[in-house]
Amino acid sequence: MGNSLFSLFLLTLLLVGNVQCNPNYREALAKSLLFFQGQRSGRLPSDQQLKWRSNSALFDGRQANVDLSGGYYDAGDNVKFNFPMAFTTTMLSWATIEYGKKMGPQMKEARASIRWATDYLLKCATSTPGRLYVGVGDPNVDHKCWERPEDMDTVRTVYWVSPKNPGSDVAAETAAALAAASIVFRKLDPSYSKLLLRTAQQVYHFALQYQASYSDSLGSAVCPFYCSYSGFKDELLWGAAWLFRATNAVYYYNLVKSLGADDQPDIFSWDNKYAGAHVLLSRRALVNGDKNFDQYKEEAENFMCKILPNSPSSSTQYTQGGLMYKLPESNLQYVTSITFLLTTYSKYMSATKHTFNCGGVLVTPNTLRSIAKRQVDYILGENPLRMSYMVGYGPYFPKRVHHRGSSLPSIAAHPQTIGCDGGFQPFFHSMNPNPNILVGAVVGGPNQNDGFPDDRSDYSHSEPATYINGAIVGPLAYFAGTR
C-alpha cells in the first residue's frame, strides 16, 4: 500500500460523516481526572468536588479484621476489584511520568487520583503478612442490587491471594502500579516513594515465587468479571519492566530478559499487558540507543503495524466514522489504552526522528499521532452522531450512564435509604437522565456502526470504568500540550 493511498485513507477517516468541533483538550483532561472523584470509596476529603457523592464502605476489610477502606469502585457498581484498579493506577502513573509537564495545573489532580489508589493498594499489600488483599465486595451479590454506595448493605466479602492460593497476575499488576507511582512521587514525597517501591518489590517477589493465576484461586469472585484470560506471564513481564524503570537494577533487566518469548497481541487492556510492556521497554532502544532493547522496539512496531489502517499486517477494524473497533463490550477501553501506546511510541520515535515500515508503508511519528488524535477527537464529539462519549463534555453526551451513584438521587436530595431492590423502580428503569452528572466519565462507547442508544441497561455501551479513563489521561495531556 503506497504512502499516498495511506494519506488518503487518513484524510477519509477525518472527514467521513464527522463534524469538526476543535476539541478543548485541556477541559477534557481536567474532566477526565475529575471522574475519579465519583468513583472514590471510603471517607471523602474536604476538597471533594463532586458533591453528590458521600462517604461509603468505611468498614471494608472488617471481615478480615483489617482496614481496607479507600480505593475506587471499578465502574458502575460498588465493588473494588484490585486487578483493574491496579492497572488504572499504572496507566495514570505512566501518563504522569510521560506527560506530566504538559498537564499544567492538572498535575496536582493526577497525583491525587494516583494516591487515592496507592494508599489503598499499600493497605492491601501490607496489612497481613503472607496475604495480598485483592478485592472487597461480592460481585455476584452486588450486581443484583441497584443502590448507592453510601447505602450499601450487601456483604463486603474480602478476597486475598497467598502462597497457598496464589495470584501472580494481580500481584504483578499491583507491583507495577506501586513501582510506577514511586516514580511519580520520587521528588515530591521521597519517603512515600520509597515505601511504594519497597512494597512493589515485595509484592513482585511473591508473584514470581508462587506462580498461578488469581482466576484459578478465586473463581467466581473474579470471573467472569475480571478473569485473567491472558494468563499471568504478561503481568510478570509488565511488573518487571516497571521495576526496571523505577530502579534501573540489573536484577530486573535480567528478569525481563529471562521471561522469554512473548505473545504478539493486537490489543492492550487491563487483562493483556504485552503491548504495553513492549512499548515501555522500547524506550531504552529509541531514546537511549541501547541495542539490548531492540527486541522490544521490534515487538512494539509489530504491534503498531497490527493497529494502523492500511498496514499490510493490520488486524484492526475501524468503523465508518473512523473509530478503532476491537470488541463489542466496552470497546472504548481498548481504544483509550491503544491510543496511549500510539502517542507514547510516537513521542519516543520523535526523540531521534525514528521511522519504521509496515510492509511498504512508511510510519513516521506523525502517522501514529494522527491516528491517536483521530481516536481522541472521535471520543470528544467528532463522530457521525456528534456525541461526546465523555460525560459532561460538549453539548451532547450520554445522559443515562449505567452507574449506580449517578443514576440515583444523592443523599442530599433523598436522605432516606434506598435498599438493594429500591433503586430499580423508578430510577434504573426510568427514561429520565441521571440526576447526578458523573463529569469526565468515558463510557463503553458506540457500536460498530457508530450507533449509541444511550440506554442505562445497556452496560456494554453505557457503563463508564476507571480503566477507560485511566488510559485517556495521557493522550489528552499530550494533545493539550501540543496545540
Side-chain angles (χ1 to χ4, degrees), residues 23-26 29 98-99 101-104 343-344 346-347 350 365-366 369-370 372-373 376-377 473-483:
N24 183 334
Y25 301 114
R26 287 212 169 280
L29 172 63
E98 294 291 350
Y99 307 109
K101 288 178 180 156
K102 296 177 186 289
M103 286 183 178
T343 57
T344 303
S346 168
K347 180 186 170 217
S350 296
N366 205 45
R369 186 181 180 278
S370 299
K373 186 174 185 299
V376 171
D377 291 355
V473 167
L476 287 172
Y478 175 73
F479 290 117
T482 52
R483 294 200 69 171

Side-chain angles (χ1 to χ4, degrees), residues 1-2 6 9 301-316 318 356-363 367 371:
M1 189 66 68
F6 186 68
F9 182 83
E301 290 171 4
N302 180 29
F303 173 79
M304 299 302 160
C305 291
K306 289 179 178 178
I307 300 302
L308 294 176
N310 283 21
S311 154
S313 53
S314 180
S315 55
T316 303
Y318 287 78
F356 64 93
N357 287 287
C358 296
V361 176
L362 176 70
V363 181
T367 313
I371 295 289

Side-chain angles (χ1 to χ4, degrees), residues 264-283:
Q264 299 280 307
D266 62 355
I267 208 152
F268 177 48
S269 70
W270 57 261
D271 179 32
N272 194 319
K273 317 292 161 49
Y274 281 117
H278 298 157
V279 169
L280 178 65
L281 291 164
S282 75
R283 179 176 175 270

Side-chain angles (χ1 to χ4, degrees), residues 15-86:
L15 297 177
V16 166
N18 295 315
V19 57
Q20 299 297 313
C21 61
N22 293 322
N24 183 334
Y25 301 114
R26 287 212 169 280
E27 180 193 341
L29 172 63
K31 288 179 171 175
S32 71
L33 288 164
L34 188 57
F35 156 77
F36 287 96
Q37 295 194 13
Q39 299 303 113
R40 283 172 170 168
S41 181
R43 189 173 300 284
L44 303 187
S46 56
D47 61 356
Q48 170 84 9
Q49 290 169 267
L50 293 186
K51 298 292 188 189
W52 50 268
R53 280 296 323 282
S54 303
N55 297 339
S56 63
L58 296 179
F59 303 109
D60 275 5
R62 181 177 273 182
Q63 198 188 67
N65 296 314
V66 289
D67 169 21
L68 299 179
S69 61
Y72 291 117
Y73 302 119
D74 71 299
D77 57 19
N78 299 328
V79 184
K80 297 191 307 207
F81 293 99
N82 289 22
F83 192 35
M85 195 196 306

Side-chain angles (χ1 to χ4, degrees), residues 330-342:
S330 189
N331 178 58
L332 287 188
Q333 66 172 302
Y334 309 110
V335 177
T336 60
S337 294
I338 292 169
T339 297
F340 186 105
L341 298 186
L342 289 169

Side-chain angles (χ1 to χ4, degrees), residues 3 11 83 133 158 300 410 419 441 464 483:
N3 287 331
L11 189 64
F83 192 35
Y133 293 101
V158 177
S410 67
R483 294 200 69 171

